[in-house]
């Protein structure tokens, strides 16, 4: 599904299994020898991912479940903070800028649902993308640039209906306490503004649940990133300023974004964060999390599918004794 500037597109999926969506943003500079800026958030310049909205709704049994509904800046940061940060922030160069060539870059992203979704007869996924009029700034050729989003089909059993939610931190806030509920599998604090760590926003973060708790100051949150970012690829990019050499760096686009839970599902989950209010700007800081809804029917179906697949796998084994 492809959408250009100031366009909206939608689609439906049925009788398939999927675990997310593949996003690619095709960007072409407006002028020769002009470097496309990194993916932006809330600036209205370059490619501003906050101006692209994406929605996924599951229709099942006469009900609608909002799987995700947010701007692509928040969804992109949440899904690329551990893996694929370079691909989303700086992209892959198709054509590098030159005196007779426009910079052509593709920003890519995998938007994970959190688990597999098995669409039975009568189930339907509705998904929609809207590319706002300020998505591509003046440095981008909007006639040649577009956003493409397609489902990623998978093999696996559904254990629940995963949802992704975000809570915005108000400007000049000193504290934010949020009850995230049950079956929470992943939580992150996203700062979509600071590219360094000198303006420390978080003073302390407390996380509690039925199975694990934690209290972290700013330095300890950085240490947590050392744990999670070991799974992330290097941010390898082309350094035009120094004459065109490849540079490797582990620093993410927004180093004051932190994942502080990314393990088993926890219940009775809550987060309590204290801030330096002078550093908290409007619409730049978020708590984003994934959780899932389940039922006896979903659990029973998952157990039956596991048993069926185990029997099939055994039947396929070669008999040599």
């Amino acid at each position: 599904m492809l959408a250009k500037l100031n366009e909206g597109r939608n689609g439906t999926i049925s009788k398939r299994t999927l675990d997310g969506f593949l996003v690619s943003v095709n960007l072409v500079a407006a002028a020769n020898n002009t470097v496309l800026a990194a993916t932006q958030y809330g600036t209205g310049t370059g490619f501003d991912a906050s101006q692209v909205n994406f929605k996924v709704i599951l229709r099942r049994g006469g009900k609608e479940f909002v799987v995700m509904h947010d701007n692509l800046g928040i969804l992109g940061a949440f899904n690329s903070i551990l893996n694929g940060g370079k691909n989303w922030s700086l992209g892959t160069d198709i054509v590098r800028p030159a005196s007779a060539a426009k910079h052509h870059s593709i920003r890519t992203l995998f938007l994970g649902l959190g688990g597999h979704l098995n669409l039975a007869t009568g189930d339907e996924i509705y998904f929609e993308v809207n590319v706002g009029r300020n998505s591509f700034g003046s440095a981008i050729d909007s006639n040649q640039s577009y956003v493409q989003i397609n489902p990623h089909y998978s093999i696996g059993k559904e254990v629940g209906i995963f949802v992704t939610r975000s809570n915005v931190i108000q400007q000049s806030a000193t504290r934010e306490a949020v009850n995230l509920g049950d079956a929470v599998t992943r939580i992150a604090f996203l700062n979509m503004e600071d590219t360094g760590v000198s303006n420390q926003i978080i003073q302390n973060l407390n996380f509690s649940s039925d199975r694990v708790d934690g209290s972290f100051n700013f330095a300890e949150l950085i240490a947590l990133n050392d744990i999670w970012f070991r799974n992330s690829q290097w941010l390898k990019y082309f350094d035009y300023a120094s004459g065109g050499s490849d540079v490797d760096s582990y620093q993410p686009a927004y180093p004051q974004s932190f994942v502080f839970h990314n393990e088993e599902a926890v219940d009775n989950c809550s987060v309590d964060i204290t801030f330096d209010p002078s550093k908290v700007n409007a619409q730049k800081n978020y708590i984003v999390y994934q959780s899932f809804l389940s039922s006896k029917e979903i659990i029973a179906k998952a157990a039956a599918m596991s048993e069926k697949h185990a029997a099939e796998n055994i039947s396929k084994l070669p008999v040599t004794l």
Side-chain angles (χ1 to χ4, degrees), residues 49-55 69-72 128-132:
S50 73
Q51 301 298 307
V52 181
N53 287 296
F54 185 59
K55 174 168 62 177
H69 187 189
D70 224 317
N71 70 67
L72 209 54
E128 174 184 300
V129 61
N130 287 282
V131 182

Side-chain angles (χ1 to χ4, degrees), residues 50-234:
S50 73
Q51 301 298 307
V52 181
N53 287 296
F54 185 59
K55 174 168 62 177
V56 180
I57 294 175
L58 169 65
R59 294 166 176 162
R60 173 179 285 172
K63 298 179 181 180
E64 289 194 349
F65 302 90
V66 179
V67 175
M68 63 178 72
H69 187 189
D70 224 317
N71 70 67
L72 209 54
I74 293 174
L75 293 172
F78 184 66
N79 282 272
S80 67
I81 188 172
L82 299 184
N83 288 288
K86 174 264 175 185
N87 294 333
W88 181 237
S89 177
L90 298 171
T92 300
D93 283 351
I94 304 302
V95 177
R96 287 179 170 174
S99 59
K102 294 180 178 180
H103 192 186
H104 181 189
S105 172
I106 297 180
R107 309 286 161 87
T108 53
L109 175 71
F110 175 64
L111 288 179
L113 297 180
H116 300 283
L117 196 56
N118 305 134
L119 300 178
T121 301
D123 293 347
E124 182 182 79
I125 280 285
Y126 170 84
F127 62 107
E128 174 184 300
V129 61
N130 287 282
V131 182
R133 62 183 181 182
N134 295 319
S135 300
F136 302 142
S138 59
I140 294 176
D141 185 341
S142 60
N143 291 320
Q144 297 188 65
S145 302
Y146 55 85
V147 176
Q148 187 167 3
I149 302 182
N150 290 308
H152 180 259
Y153 299 117
S154 59
I155 300 173
K157 60 181 182 295
E158 177 184 322
V159 298
I161 302 169
F162 282 82
V163 297
T164 302
R165 298 286 182 265
S166 65
N167 290 64
V168 63
I169 310 300
Q170 298 301 316
Q171 183 175 7
S172 302
T174 59
R175 180 187 176 200
E176 183 77 10
V178 183
N179 182 3
L180 306 183
D182 297 334
V184 177
T185 56
R186 185 177 181 190
I187 320 170
F189 170 80
L190 299 182
N191 167 262
M192 306 299 297
E193 182 177 31
D194 287 89
T195 57
V197 295
S198 57
N199 293 320
Q200 297 176 12
I201 298 167
I202 292 180
Q203 294 181 330
N204 200 74
L205 184 151
N206 292 297
F207 160 63
S208 64
S209 70
D210 65 329
R211 301 177 64 187
V212 64
D213 304 305
S215 180
F216 312 103
N217 59 30
F218 188 79
E220 289 167 334
L221 287 170
I222 294 176
L224 278 182
N225 273 0
D226 289 340
I227 297 173
W228 302 124
F229 286 161
R230 68 186 178 190
N231 298 322
S232 183
Q233 62 182 302
W234 284 12

